[in-house]
Amino acid sequence: MKFLLKAVTFYLLTTSIVLADTQFNKVGEARMKYLFWDVYDAVLFTPSGNYSAGTHPIKFKLTYLRDFEAKEIVKATNEQWEHIGKKELADKYDSKLLSIWPDIRQGDSLTLVTNEQGMSTFYHNDEKIGEINEPQFSSDFLAIWLDEKTSEPKLRKQLLGN
């Protein structure tokens, strides 16, 4: 009986994971380059395969092509928020992001998944590492890549499937 219960539990857990993954369709993908370095590959997913600002759920995955300390990623995030006119977010989220994000090694991924209300869950190599339960955070975070004022308009265009 214990075996059957474990088997049913395993089936339900793995089925829900598969269903969660299959609900997302790729909108677009791009490679971030800085000078002559490849930095990361980014992929944007939505249930429909189309992106509309402020619509959730969303899955956004960064696969890093170099090693980075968490503090470097947070610093770059803050610089990008400043670029798009959201400088105040650095103070608001610095400590939270530093507590969630690990140091990254080449080949590691960080993924943001939002629920229908826009609440954010981060994954490191597909393992849950933390949440930010403020709906506005996900829009502010994604704005780094998807806002019209992004520092990387070519990358934005590719992520949006254009």
Side-chain angles (χ1 to χ4, degrees):
M1 185 66 164
K2 280 185 178 181
F3 173 76
L4 181 59
L5 184 58
K6 287 181 181 180
V8 169
T9 302
F10 176 76
Y11 172 77
L12 291 173
L13 288 173
T14 57
T15 301
S16 64
I17 291 168
V18 170
L19 290 174
D21 284 347
T22 57
Q23 75 180 10
F24 287 104
N25 294 293
K26 184 168 49 172
V27 177
E29 61 187 318
R31 176 164 284 184
M32 173 63 183
K33 296 180 180 208
Y34 181 75
L35 300 175
F36 51 86
W37 291 295
D38 292 337
V39 181
Y40 56 73
D41 289 327
V43 187
L44 177 65
F45 301 89
T46 65
S48 68
N50 296 304
Y51 174 75
S52 178
T55 303
H56 297 280
I58 290 175
K59 180 177 177 181
F60 183 68
K61 184 173 187 174
L62 298 172
T63 303
Y64 287 85
L65 305 172
R66 308 180 55 76
D67 295 351
F68 291 98
E69 292 180 13
K71 65 183 180 183
E72 294 174 308
I73 299 170
V74 171
K75 180 182 177 192
T77 299
N78 292 339
E79 289 169 355
Q80 291 305 309
W81 275 332
E82 185 174 349
H83 178 84
I84 61 174
K86 296 177 180 259
K87 184 177 182 176
E88 71 284 357
L89 296 176
D91 292 333
K92 186 173 183 178
Y93 294 114
D94 260 9
S95 61
K96 183 67 173 171
L97 292 175
L98 282 170
S99 73
I100 294 174
W101 291 344
D103 292 340
I104 295 294
R105 299 292 162 241
Q106 182 178 359
D108 284 358
S109 66
L110 278 180
T111 305
L112 168 74
V113 177
T114 68
N115 65 15
E116 290 182 1
Q117 293 74 38
M119 303 299 186
S120 302
T121 303
F122 281 101
Y123 296 84
H124 174 241
N125 296 332
D126 300 324
E127 290 188 30
K128 183 178 173 180
I129 56 172
E131 298 176 342
I132 297 181
N133 291 317
E134 297 176 39
Q136 188 56 44
F137 170 80
S138 58
S139 295
D140 289 335
F141 184 71
L142 291 167
I144 292 170
W145 296 272
L146 304 177
D147 190 279
E148 291 181 2
K149 295 182 275 182
T150 182
S151 65
E152 300 294 330
K154 181 179 171 187
L155 188 128
R156 175 185 184 268
K157 186 175 181 181
Q158 291 173 322
L159 286 171
L160 296 177
N162 300 322

